[in-house]
Amino acid sequence: MRGRDPIGEIALASGFCDQSHLNRQFLKAYGVTPGEFARLCGRRPEVSSVQDETAGAA
């Protein structure tokens, strides 16, 4: 798995039945969801910044 793989794929590869199961367990253990953790670590772009970039391309 790479840092930019979709969280759903990471969940399945890690043995979780689906992404929501991973999210619940991750939140319980670390206090943030996997997506929030990835954004805090700089591995996933903020949704608003992606939307801003695509809006400028039009």
Side-chain angles (χ1 to χ4, degrees), residues 12-32:
L12 294 175
S14 300
F16 291 93
C17 60
D18 57 27
Q19 180 177 340
S20 63
H21 185 210
L22 168 64
N23 283 350
R24 285 191 305 274
Q25 294 302 314
F26 200 95
L27 182 61
K28 185 177 178 181
Y30 300 106
V32 294

